[in-house]
Every structure is written in structure tokens, then in C-alpha cells.
Amino acid sequence: MQRLSKSFLLTGALTLLLGTSCTKLDETLYSQIDAAKFYNNRQEILAGVLRPYTHANAWMAPTGQTGYWRLNEMSADQLAWPQKGRHGYDDAQWIRQHGHSWVYTENFVWDPWRLIYTGIGFCNSTLGDFERVDFTRAGVSDQEKAAFIAELKVFRAFHYLKLMDLYGNVPIVTKVGEPVSPPTAPRAEVFAFVEKELKDNVDLLPNLSKALIGRITKAAGYAMLAELYLNAEVWTGTAKWDECIAACDKISSGATGGLNGAPALDPNLTATYNNTNDNSKEALFQLTYDYQATPTRCGWSGDFYHFAQRLIYDGDANGNNGMVVIPTAYDAFKNNDLRKSTWMLIGTQYQLTAPTKPVEGTEEYRGKPLVFVNEIRRASENKTSSTMIDGEENSGARFNKYPPGRQSEAKYWSNDWIMYRLTDIYFYKAEALMRKNGGTAVPEALRLVNEVHSRAFKASDVAQETYTAATLTLPELLAERGREFIFEGKRRTDQIRFGTFTTASWWDHRPSDKTKALYPVPQRQLAANPNLKQNEGYPAK
């Protein structure tokens, strides 16, 4: 099996044609490679198919770049990057994210647009090349050719789904450089494009299997359809609950394959995220990493880890002491909720190689034990205010959902980053059923949510924590989604769908204008393309 972190890259230096002026117009252009001559065999064709995946690491997961993940989490009600003494102010960009006071000139508004459209460009480039390739001569069957093309189109549709989520109205481009200045398409039109691309191609994809880990398969495609339909009312004004349920049922039935046999919930809270999570039965689509075979790993350490965090794991990476769980989000977990103690770090931190020896602080608590606390305030100065500028090095519970393991472990930091899992499908269907029923949980919705919820408690606590039709309300479903999917890049989208993103207060955040449900079209794009239209509430130029 070949994991995508070792995928083929289109290599070879492209020589830029330089020299003195010449009136002869039939020079050999060494700056171009004819696609028909490059794609000579299946391996070279597969290299083209896999190229967008190598770029996806930049925008789909918390890898240190400002991609989709950061915009969808740092503006929501669970995570923040507060200033901690002399660290973390960073031109107040994290403060503006938390307070919904961003402007259209921000780099963090521009970066996801740039990164996601670059991924679309890779898809479009390969699809364009394939129009000139003789697949039969390259030893590729018609069925496999159709699957390769479908894979690229479905992956491209996924890029547009995420663009539509962040920015709403965006240009649709399916060919490299055509048109030069593409016009803005209304969000409903983008939705229709994504829906058609998914529906036309999803059944041409192969079923998910271990051999296709990290690839777009039927399981990933139907998960995308389910997410699309779950958000249809927000994105188009028309609800599509039945379509969402049908897409979920396709996956749950096993008809789209599974990573390790039929899809099933993993038996505990760690199997889906640890460094052997390629053995998960729950994962439906993931970014794959093999740190032992390549220099690439999912670099969440930069966003989440303390300056001395490597000692907690017996690892090799510290971080920027950045993102933390905000107090109101941490308090949303009951004390007997195993997710609270498993997926987050709190309290005194000890060195894994010397379990009785505390990790020491490096800033306010230099030379003293590092004790992560829920509150965000200048306790070392006896101050009581708690805002985005009042943090210390130990402020906030910390990320522990993807433990990397020890350096000595065979699969150290080879955790795959999960984009869709069966739990998504359970919650998508449960919500669609509830919304069809006026917000009241029907028995099937209760079964789906409780099956997931039961993993979060000891056997002796499950009965008292089981949801009923009276307790599983829509607000509670939003709260439970927050607990179950914390750190997974879904929160802003959830809050918008449940109507709390611009209307609710949390920790150091107050309600914002309704226009903040969309990010602005970046100023750099407006300057470069006169055919773009700005979103409501932001400057046009």
C-alpha cells in the first residue's frame, strides 16, 4: 500500500526560455511539457491524480498555515489564541478573529482563498492534461480512467464546498486560465455546481478500502453530499433533509466500503486519532501521514503546543503556545465525560520519561511546575480580568485529541488527520431527522446520538447520561456536537446552521453583525479581478 505522503510528484525542472530577441516564431519551448508525452504509463497518470492531495495538507488541517481549519475554528466558541504575556499578540489578528472584527485586507482572510484555489488549480490542470492523454496506450482501462477523472472532479467539488462555506459567493473555474477574470457566482449557483459534480461522479469512484486510504472514494463522496445537504438551507435557502438522510444511509449500509471492513464506530475515544489510526474502522476520509517513511507529519504542534510540550509526550516538537480551549467551552463538558480528560490536557504536566518530575514553565512560571488551568487571566500578577489579552503561558486547557506517541514508537507522529468519520454521518442524519420533525428527536435520532455518546462515559454512567426525546433538543445537539467534534474544524459551520454564530456570547466574545457569517472577498482579489463582487458588510474596493 502506498500512503499519500509518499505520493508521486510531478517532478523535473522546467527551464525558463531566456535569450536575446529573435524574429523566428517556431522555437522549441523548453518551458513546457506536452501532457500527451508526459503521461506515458499508469504511474505517471496516478502522479497527476495525486498532486492535489499533497497540497491539501496546507489548508485542510491545522498544520501551521492559515487555511480553512483556522478560519472555521478560531472565530467560533471553543478555541482561541489569547495573548500570553509577551507572546501571542501577533498584530491582534487572533483578537480580531475571536471578536469578529476582521477586515478584508487581513492575510488570514486572503490565505485560505489562495490556498484552496491553488488546490482547484491542481485539479483543473490535471483534468485539462487528461483531455490530451491516450489512456489506452498508457495501459489504463476505460473504467479506471473514468474513476481517475471522477476522483479529481469530486475533490475539486470539495474545495468549492469549503470556499462556499467561508466566502459564500465565489468564482467557479474549471479550466486553467479560463476566463482570465472569472465573475462571482452566487452561492446557490456554487451549491448547484458542487451538487452536480458530486452526483455525476460519486458512483464512478471505487469503494473505500485500506488500499485507497487517504483517497477520494465513494465513502468520501457521499460524506461530502451529506454535509452539502445538511447545510443546504443556509447555503441556498432550501432545506434538503431527505437528501442528507439518503446520503448518510448509503454510507451506513456499507455500500460505499470501509477502511478496515464495514464502517463502524471505533470502540474507544483514542482509536480514531492515535498514531495507528490507519486501523480505524470509523474513518471515511483522511489526510495520510507516514513519518517514518517521509519527513512529513501533520504539524499541529505549531498551533497548539506549549514551548516545552515535547517533554509531556517524550517527543521532538514544541510549539508556539498558541491555541487553547476557552473557559466556557471546557466547562461545557461534565466532569465524568471521558472526552474532557482524554482529548484535553489540564492540571500539572509531568515528563513522560520521568513521571514524577513536572514539566517546568518557561515564562511567568519559569522554574516552576507547568500547570494548565481553565481560566485565562494574569494569575501571577493577582489580576482577575479575563480577556484575549490577559493570558499567561499556562492559560487554558490544551489539545490532546491526536497524541503523537513517543519517539521510540514504531508509528511516532504518523497520525492521519480525519476529515470525515462515521460519527459525522450519525450526527448528520440525527440532525436531519430532528429538523424534519420540528426539532424533536425521533427514536432513530436518539439511537444514533446515544450510540456515540455512550463512548464518552464509563459503563456505570451510561444509563444516567443517555439522551431522551425531552433532553436531546436542537440546542443540546449543538452543544453535543461541540463536545464530540472539538478541534476538528467544524464549529463555525455548526454555529451558523444553528443560528448562534453572530447572535450568541461566549467568554470574551459578544454578538456580531449578521454579515460576519461570511468572510470578505480578500482585497487582493478584488484589486486583481474587476469582475468580483464583495460580500455584504465589507468594502467593495
Side-chain angles (χ1 to χ4, degrees):
M1 178 187 66
Q2 187 171 49
R3 295 168 70 83
L4 288 180
S5 55
K6 297 187 287 182
S7 62
F8 298 104
L9 300 179
L10 293 174
T11 57
L14 299 182
T15 305
L16 183 63
L17 186 64
L18 300 173
T20 58
S21 61
C22 180
T23 57
K24 188 177 180 180
L25 302 179
D26 58 351
E27 298 106 327
T28 300
L29 294 179
Y30 296 101
S31 61
Q32 297 179 8
I33 297 176
D34 188 340
K37 295 178 180 178
F38 178 77
Y39 294 105
N40 295 306
N41 53 57
R42 186 184 182 279
Q43 292 290 80
E44 292 177 352
I45 288 172
L46 183 60
V49 173
L50 298 183
R51 181 60 184 94
Y53 291 98
T54 64
H55 174 72
N57 176 72
W59 68 269
M60 284 168 59
T63 56
Q65 296 199 58
T66 300
Y68 173 87
W69 187 95
R70 274 193 185 176
L71 263 62
N72 223 40
E73 285 288 7
M74 295 187 68
S75 58
D77 66 352
Q78 292 190 307
L79 306 181
W81 192 315
Q83 182 180 353
K84 305 177 191 71
R86 64 192 178 112
H87 297 287
Y89 182 72
D90 298 340
D91 195 31
Q93 62 174 316
W94 317 123
I95 296 171
R96 291 193 296 276
Q97 281 233 19
H98 191 74
H100 295 185
S101 58
W102 52 74
V103 295
Y104 77 141
T105 56
E106 306 267 12
N107 282 334
F108 71 71
V109 169
W110 153 249
D111 284 340
W113 179 290
R114 171 182 60 86
L115 289 168
I116 299 173
Y117 268 112
T118 298
I120 290 170
F122 285 130
C123 294
N124 287 342
S125 177
T126 302
L127 285 166
D129 286 345
F130 282 0
E131 293 177 0
R132 303 187 296 278
V133 172
D134 186 339
F135 282 82
T136 301
R137 183 177 64 84
V140 174
S141 68
D142 288 345
Q143 181 179 0
E144 192 169 27
K145 172 187 174 181
F148 283 153
I149 291 172
E151 183 174 355
L152 287 164
K153 287 185 175 181
V154 169
F155 203 8
R156 182 177 64 187
F158 181 66
H159 286 70
Y160 275 111
L161 187 154
K162 296 304 182 183
L163 277 172
M164 172 176 57
D165 182 11
L166 293 178
Y167 302 101
N169 314 306
V170 298
I172 301 172
V173 181
T174 59
K175 292 184 179 295
V176 175
E178 297 180 24
V180 174
S181 297
T184 298
R187 200 181 209 180
E189 185 177 325
V190 183
F191 182 99
F193 170 78
V194 172
E195 181 184 28
K196 186 176 189 306
E197 289 285 281
L198 293 177
K199 290 175 66 176
D200 286 353
N201 292 284
V202 67
D203 287 324
L204 298 174
L205 297 169
N207 279 1
L208 175 61
S209 67
K210 192 64 170 283
L212 294 173
I213 186 171
R215 299 273 296 277
I216 299 291
T217 63
K218 278 191 178 76
Y222 275 101
M224 293 171 196
L225 272 172
E227 181 184 6
L228 183 76
Y229 290 137
L230 186 73
N231 292 285
E233 190 168 33
V234 171
W235 293 345
T236 71
T238 302
K240 290 183 176 288
W241 309 124
D242 286 330
E243 292 88 339
C244 176
I245 292 167
C248 292
D249 286 344
K250 191 82 171 181
I251 294 170
S252 298
S253 70
T256 62
L259 186 61
N260 293 282
L265 296 182
D266 284 326
N268 56 57
L269 298 176
T270 60
T272 314
Y273 310 103
N274 62 27
N275 60 27
T276 59
N277 65 347
D278 56 329
N279 294 318
S280 168
K281 295 182 72 67
E282 188 169 324
L284 300 173
F285 177 46
Q286 60 223 83
L287 290 174
T288 61
Y289 298 91
D290 187 343
Y291 190 48
Q292 285 61 50
T294 75
T296 305
R297 56 185 171 186
C298 191
W300 60 73
S301 53
D303 280 350
F304 289 116
Y305 280 10
H306 181 270
F307 300 128
Q309 189 131 348
R310 66 179 182 82
L311 299 174
I312 298 173
Y313 295 114
D314 183 26
D316 66 348
N318 294 316
N320 296 317
N321 201 28
M323 261 178 265
V324 305
V325 180
I326 65 174
T328 47
Y330 184 76
D331 288 339
F333 291 80
K334 294 182 178 180
N335 287 335
N336 65 338
D337 190 328
L338 299 176
R339 295 170 297 192
K340 189 174 189 176
S341 56
T342 304
W343 291 345
M344 292 177 278
L345 297 176
I346 199 79
T348 304
Q349 301 303 303
Y350 293 92
Q351 299 185 28
L352 192 58
T353 58
T356 62
K357 186 176 181 180
V359 175
E360 292 184 351
T362 61
E363 298 293 321
E364 292 90 351
Y365 299 95
R366 178 181 294 274
K368 299 178 181 179
L370 178 64
V371 183
F372 292 140
V373 296
N374 185 32
E375 62 264 21
I376 298 174
R377 64 182 180 90
R378 302 290 299 170
S380 64
E381 300 171 0
N382 295 316
K383 294 183 178 179
T384 58
S385 62
S386 180
T387 72
M388 282 289 288
I389 64 171
D390 291 318
E392 294 185 321
E393 67 169 308
N394 66 341
S395 296
R398 304 304 173 97
F399 171 84
N400 194 45
K401 201 165 193 176
Y402 281 81
R406 307 179 71 155
Q407 293 184 72
S408 59
E409 291 182 15
K411 301 298 291 181
Y412 171 64
W413 215 312
S414 285
N415 315 60
D416 295 340
W417 188 267
I418 308 299
M419 300 303 301
Y420 291 109
R421 54 191 176 105
L422 187 61
T423 298
D424 284 291
I425 304 309
Y426 278 31
F427 272 78
Y428 289 168
K429 182 176 180 180
E431 183 179 336
L433 289 167
M434 289 176 67
R435 292 189 184 277
K436 282 188 63 179
N437 195 44
T440 300
V442 298
E444 176 68 357
L446 289 170
R447 181 190 69 80
L448 291 166
V449 174
N450 280 324
E451 192 171 337
V452 175
H453 190 62
S454 64
R455 291 187 303 188
F457 299 93
K458 295 179 179 178
S460 57
D461 290 340
V462 168
Q464 69 185 36
E465 298 297 342
T466 298
Y467 283 117
T468 66
T471 58
L472 187 60
T473 62
L474 283 175
E476 177 58 24
L477 183 64
L478 175 63
E480 180 61 12
R481 281 192 61 88
R483 292 183 286 265
E484 179 63 29
F485 296 105
I486 190 169
F487 304 119
E488 295 190 30
K490 307 175 190 294
R491 190 59 179 171
R492 168 188 160 275
T493 308
D494 289 346
Q495 282 195 273
I496 290 172
R497 196 171 61 255
F498 282 82
T500 66
F501 184 68
T502 61
T503 62
S505 296
W506 54 86
W507 184 49
D508 194 26
H509 174 90
R510 299 297 174 265
S512 59
D513 190 85
K514 65 180 182 179
T515 59
K516 297 300 183 179
L518 288 177
Y519 284 98
V521 176
Q523 186 272 336
R524 295 189 201 184
Q525 289 302 124
L526 291 170
N529 182 355
N531 292 326
L532 292 182
K533 294 181 180 179
Q534 182 58 280
N535 290 324
E536 182 184 356
Y538 299 103
K541 293 183 179 179

